Amino acid sequence: MIIKSLYVSRLFNQFTYTLNLCDGLSFIHSPNGYGKSTLMHMVYAAMKGDVKYLSEIPFERMDIEFSDESVLIIENESGELLIQMQKNELETPITPDEMAAICDVTYIAPERLMVKKRDGHMSPALETYAQELYERIRYSREHSELTPYTGERKEMSDSELEFWCKDLKAKLDFIKDAGFEPDIPAGYRFPPSRYELLNYRKDYEDLAYSISEYVDKNYILAESIVIFMDVINEFFIGKKVELSDNGKIVINLNGGGALQLNKLSSGEKQIMIIMYNLLFHAEPGTIIVIDEPEISLHITWQQRLGKIFNDICRVRKVQIIVATHSPQVIHDLWDCAREMNPTNA
């Protein structure tokens, strides 16, 4: 489910906005002081059931209309919130927990170089994410065994089974590029030859279903790793991001040697943090809110962001809402831009 439109009245006791959003990528832009970042944070707070944040913002009403034609309505009376969900013209009060269950949302805030850890301490975001990715890769490597498939099966001809096995092999090769792979039982070749399928069909069908389950569990992680490395290395000059043999992110210099993550430039850190959040923290089919992605980025880097965001929307079937001051970030995607300005306030 995606957001079709946003409406807020008397934001900061002054501004009223109506924004119709695109299905995939939308840019929100405005002069400073008109509530662009605040509105983005309000959307995130509404999707997380963060009523404390919402109650502290001066506004009269906010409506979030979704693609299923339901509307989340939040009315604010001097900090006292009335929260309702409207479906089929009927309005029903909902709780913060029910707000948080409407749909998943990821928020990439402007202050993103540091993150709060579970123990409450602040830590450099990039080093935290590198450790997080290492642990996910290590887990996938340690759980490489195939398990017997117990679900439903469909009838397949020999040619259909052969095609499916070749498709699964292509996906396994892709996963291997990300640094992990399953343990194929000894004595089996995958994909099997036509002769092997004819003579050991049941065994290879069982194996194919087990591999299919493994692919379902690991393909998104592998895809995220491969896309992350490709995108980052398109930006970086004189250095390359790679995975070490043990699954850790390393920065190798083209002239030899390596660079620690904390020695990257501010712009390089920003790109890695934004892309990591997009690919590893946002599930396919969810909503992503990004505030000021242009921070610390050169104009030429800013101009490349829109296409990347658009591609991620397409590949992951996500909705991305970007709040920006930079026309370079929007670049040639002005059909996706929505302006908040005093004339419609």
Side-chain angles (χ1 to χ4, degrees):
M1 187 160 62
I2 63 171
I3 298 174
K4 283 182 61 179
S5 68
L6 299 172
Y7 167 81
V8 62
S9 64
R10 294 189 55 77
L11 180 61
F12 304 138
N13 298 320
Q14 300 177 70
F15 305 125
T16 297
Y17 300 111
T18 299
L19 298 169
N20 295 311
L21 303 182
C22 301
D23 291 346
L25 174 63
S26 296
F27 297 102
I28 309 299
H29 64 101
S30 73
N32 291 98
Y34 291 107
K36 177 175 68 276
S37 292
T38 300
L39 180 57
M40 295 301 97
H41 200 157
M42 288 172 68
V43 170
Y44 173 69
M47 296 295 94
K48 285 296 186 180
D50 185 356
V51 293
K52 182 178 184 299
Y53 177 85
L54 292 169
S55 66
E56 293 171 351
I57 302 298
F59 73 101
E60 185 176 82
R61 173 172 169 150
M62 180 169 73
D63 293 3
I64 303 177
E65 182 184 6
F66 298 97
S67 53
D68 66 353
E69 298 187 353
S70 62
V71 183
L72 177 62
I73 302 170
I74 304 171
E75 295 179 280
N76 185 2
E77 182 64 42
S78 301
E80 293 293 325
L81 301 181
L82 173 61
I83 304 169
Q84 301 180 91
M85 198 69 179
Q86 182 186 79
K87 292 183 178 180
N88 300 321
E89 304 300 325
L90 298 175
E91 296 178 359
T92 306
I94 64 171
T95 66
D97 287 341
E98 290 171 324
M99 294 169 69
I102 295 172
C103 57
D104 291 331
V105 62
T106 298
Y107 178 55
I108 306 176
E111 305 83 12
R112 48 184 168 259
L113 292 180
M114 302 291 289
V115 294
K116 183 180 287 188
K117 304 188 78 172
R118 292 179 181 177
D119 60 6
H121 289 87
M122 300 301 291
S123 173
L126 194 52
E127 295 175 22
T128 300
Y129 296 156
Q131 180 63 25
E132 176 183 288
L133 180 58
Y134 162 70
E135 291 172 358
R136 293 182 67 177
I137 293 174
R138 184 180 66 178
Y139 179 88
S140 293
R141 287 177 173 178
E142 291 175 352
H143 294 78
S144 58
E145 69 282 354
L146 296 174
T147 57
Y149 179 78
T150 58
E152 294 184 1
R153 302 191 181 203
K154 63 179 183 178
E155 292 291 332
M156 284 185 284
S157 66
D158 291 342
S159 60
E160 287 173 332
L161 179 57
E162 182 181 13
F163 178 83
W164 187 38
C165 288
K166 289 179 179 179
D167 180 65
L168 288 172
K169 179 58 167 62
K171 291 177 179 176
L172 287 180
D173 289 343
F174 187 82
I175 292 173
K176 186 177 180 179
D177 288 342
F180 46 95
E181 59 183 322
D183 297 326
I184 304 295
Y188 287 86
R189 182 175 61 175
F190 199 84
S193 67
R194 182 164 296 184
Y195 170 82
E196 289 167 323
L197 274 181
L198 288 173
N199 288 275
Y200 308 100
R201 179 186 170 97
K202 177 64 167 60
D203 292 338
Y204 275 105
E205 185 177 312
D206 291 343
L207 178 58
Y209 273 102
S210 293
I211 289 175
S212 179
E213 276 201 325
Y214 176 88
V215 167
D216 289 343
K217 292 177 183 176
N218 292 279
Y219 191 84
I220 290 295
L221 174 60
E223 181 184 67
S224 298
I225 293 170
V226 171
I227 294 175
F228 179 74
M229 298 296 176
D230 287 347
V231 170
I232 298 305
N233 287 322
E234 285 182 8
F235 280 94
F236 281 12
I237 299 172
K239 56 184 73 72
K240 187 174 183 180
V241 181
E242 297 178 308
L243 285 179
S244 65
D245 291 340
N246 64 1
K248 291 193 173 182
I249 293 178
V250 293
I251 311 295
N252 290 320
L253 301 174
N254 291 356
L259 191 68
Q260 294 180 354
L261 287 174
N262 61 9
K263 297 299 189 294
L264 290 171
S265 72
S266 177
E268 290 169 332
K269 290 176 182 177
Q270 290 281 354
I271 282 292
M272 290 188 73
I273 289 168
I274 290 171
M275 294 306 159
Y276 188 89
N277 275 284
L278 283 174
L279 293 167
F280 295 97
H281 287 171
E283 293 294 325
T286 60
I287 298 169
I288 305 165
V289 178
I290 311 174
D291 197 356
E292 298 186 29
E294 66 269 18
I295 293 173
S296 296
L297 302 187
H298 186 270
I299 288 174
T300 56
W301 282 24
Q302 293 181 35
Q303 291 174 340
R304 297 160 71 178
L305 286 179
K307 181 181 183 303
I308 293 171
F309 293 159
N310 224 4
D311 288 344
I312 291 175
C313 286
R314 177 177 49 81
V315 171
R316 288 293 175 83
K317 302 296 187 292
V318 295
Q319 181 182 34
I320 299 179
I321 306 170
V322 179
T324 181
H325 292 111
S326 171
Q328 283 77 24
V329 169
I330 303 172
H331 194 38
D332 56 359
L333 296 172
W334 285 94
D335 287 348
C336 302
R338 305 292 184 265
E339 184 177 7
M340 295 168 57
N341 60 48
T343 60
N344 63 9

